[in-house]
Structures are given as structure tokens and as C-alpha cells.
Amino acid sequence: MLRTAGARLLDDRDRSRVRGVLDADPVATCMVASRVETVGVEPWRLGGELWGVGGRLDGLCFSGANLVPLRGERAAVRAFAERARRNRRTCSSLVGRRELVLPLWEELAEHWGEAREVRPDQPLMATDSNPSIIPDRAVRQARPDDMERYLPAAIAMFLEEVGVDPRLGDGGAGYRARVSELIASGRAFVRFEQGEVVFKAEVGALSTRVGQIQGVWVHPDWRGRGLGQAGTAAVVDHLVRAGRIASLYVNAFNTPARAAYARVGFQQVASFATVLF
């Protein structure tokens, strides 16, 4: 029986092949493609490593703040696990296509210890059409001078969605910097009422072809009024007008959110899974 060679560290000499893999699956690989398109493949610029299996990159995986398997059969997944086990875990999550993440977690669980949470079925949804409902015209791109009002809403969303306070460890400096970056780049969207955030969302990853929406949040006092879907429609409208596919992923058990996104015009194109540490 032939044994698959181990995963090797890629660099800019592999850039065209990496781009080919990412372009073949643009919605599922948007998180990594957004970085590769901007800075290339060299780890010191990328903020992580890309691992490849096979000369034609039959397997591809990103290892950084998150571990993201992007392509590969079971043998490639084993090779990624072998490389990941060489050092202690530093990523905060394992995320990507369900058919890659769950087998990779099976290989790593014994060595990395218990996960804080496993979300095994997260429909990945996308649309390249104008939203099916009227976008909320009160939603706009956040501005730098919105930061002090926007940040508490972003923290509240993170606590609800992830279950961890993003201010832990460094007092919130890192999370504040991330939110500030999203606002400065025009990728944070907000609706205010009487000076208070009632809706927010961000385009967490933006490649030349896809914008991945994240952090959709409605103030508790304003829920049940359709603000979430109308606000999301506004973000979709922004992305589609720019010639991009709008995407997002959601937990399968969150039936109301899935129904709302379907009303906006999203259709499921794949399934993600996430392992949180």
C-alpha cells in the first residue's frame, strides 16, 4: 500500500497552485482566499502557514489563529493531523467544510484534549442575486467615529455567539483592534436608533469573489421585528452590487435564523463544522 507523503510547508513558489485550489471552491475557502489574494503564501506575511499534500495540491490546509482544512481526501487529512501534532495547539478553533473538519478532529482529539464545544453541522449559505426582501435603508457602513457605540454591541454579539468574553487575556485590546480594522475598511454595518446600536453585522472575510457575513446581531429589545433579515439584506445588497457572492454559515439547529436567511435569498451550498477550544 502506498503511503501519502506528509504535509509540506508552502511558500510563494506555490502561489498559483494555491490560488487554483481556492478558486475552485470560492465560497468555502473565502476566509483563507481573502488573505492569500492580499499578501501571498509566505507565512510571515500570511499570519499562518499553508500546508500542502501532493505536487498538485490534492490536499491544502491553513494553520494560524484557526486551523482550516481546505481540500483533501482522508490520507491528506491524516497528513495535516500529523503536522498539527508536532507542536502544542495554538489555534482557537478548527473550522471549514464538515467533511474535512470532523475527520481531522477525530485524528487530533486524543492529542489536543477536550474541545470547549463542537458544532458539527453548520449550513454554508450563499447568494449572488439581489436580496429577495427589501433591504433596511437605515443600515449603513459604520464610521470610525461610531466605534465607542459599536464596540459594546460587537462584544455582546461575541458573548452570545461564541460564549467567551473577547476582552479576556489582553483586556480587549486585540478585539478592539479587529473591530476598528473592520470599520476602517468599510466592512462593518450598523443601524442606530436614538444613538444606540439596534442592528450590526460585518463582512468578516472579503475575497475578490466572495464576502462572508458574520456577527449578525440585533439588540434584544428590537428582536422579533424583522431587523435581522432586513439588515442582512442590506449587507447582501452591498456585496452583490460590488459583484461579489454573499455568504454566511449558521448552526443547523438555529431554525429561525436559517428561515430568515432563506427569505433574504440565501441557499445552502455546503456544510461547515466548527470545533471551539
Side-chain angles (χ1 to χ4, degrees):
M1 179 181 294
L2 294 175
R3 186 178 186 277
T4 300
R8 62 184 178 90
L9 178 63
L10 305 181
D11 57 33
D12 272 344
R13 291 171 294 183
D14 303 290
R15 187 170 184 169
S16 63
R17 286 187 291 273
V18 169
R19 288 292 300 271
V21 172
L22 301 177
D23 287 345
D25 192 14
V27 176
T29 65
C30 175
M31 287 183 284
V32 176
S34 63
R35 293 289 298 161
V36 170
E37 290 174 0
T38 304
V39 302
V41 176
E42 292 289 347
W44 65 274
R45 290 197 301 263
L46 187 61
E49 297 180 346
L50 275 169
W51 304 336
V53 171
R56 297 183 179 180
L57 295 189
D58 299 317
L60 184 65
C61 183
F62 173 77
S63 176
N66 305 297
L67 185 63
V68 187
L70 298 158
R71 182 190 210 181
E73 300 297 332
R74 190 66 188 239
V77 169
R78 291 194 193 97
F80 298 147
E82 289 174 5
R83 185 160 189 122
R85 289 195 297 260
R86 293 180 187 177
N87 301 299
R88 66 180 182 86
R89 178 185 62 78
T90 57
C91 63
S92 61
S93 73
L94 201 170
V95 60
R97 278 185 171 270
R98 184 174 188 267
E99 63 268 27
L100 297 172
V101 166
L102 297 182
L104 182 55
W105 177 233
E106 287 179 11
E107 299 282 345
L108 291 172
E110 180 181 349
H111 303 271
W112 278 7
E114 187 175 355
R116 180 167 58 83
E117 184 180 355
V118 178
R119 300 177 178 179
D121 187 6
Q122 299 174 299
L124 176 64
M125 309 179 81
T127 178
D128 61 0
S129 302
N130 293 326
S132 302
I133 64 171
I134 298 173
D136 185 347
R137 299 304 177 190
V139 171
R140 61 169 175 81
Q141 289 170 286
R143 301 186 296 258
D145 61 353
D146 294 323
M147 179 67 177
E148 298 309 320
R149 293 182 295 170
Y150 188 94
L151 183 61
I155 292 170
M157 177 281 303
F158 199 97
L159 284 164
E160 287 185 31
E161 175 63 22
V162 182
V164 173
D165 192 328
R167 296 165 293 186
L168 293 176
D170 63 358
Y175 189 66
R176 183 186 182 91
R178 171 60 175 163
V179 172
S180 178
E181 176 191 3
L182 290 167
I183 291 175
S185 61
R187 289 158 52 192
F189 295 79
V190 65
R191 173 175 170 173
F192 289 104
E193 289 294 335
Q194 298 181 342
E196 186 173 39
V197 176
V198 297
F199 168 86
K200 65 158 287 291
E202 294 114 21
V203 179
L206 186 69
S207 71
T208 54
R209 297 177 63 185
V210 181
Q212 187 175 90
I213 300 169
Q214 67 175 31
V216 177
W217 182 84
V218 176
H219 191 288
D221 293 344
W222 287 75
R223 291 175 186 174
R225 307 187 193 186
L227 264 68
Q229 63 185 33
T232 302
V235 184
V236 170
D237 184 64
H238 175 87
L239 290 168
V240 171
R241 285 176 181 271
R244 288 184 170 90
I245 299 167
S247 78
L248 51 78
Y249 60 99
V250 60
N251 290 316
F253 59 77
N254 193 344
T255 304
R258 293 175 64 185
Y261 295 141
R263 286 191 289 272
V264 172
F266 283 98
Q267 295 183 336
Q268 183 172 352
V269 297
S271 291
F272 265 22
T274 303
V275 181
L276 296 168
F277 302 109

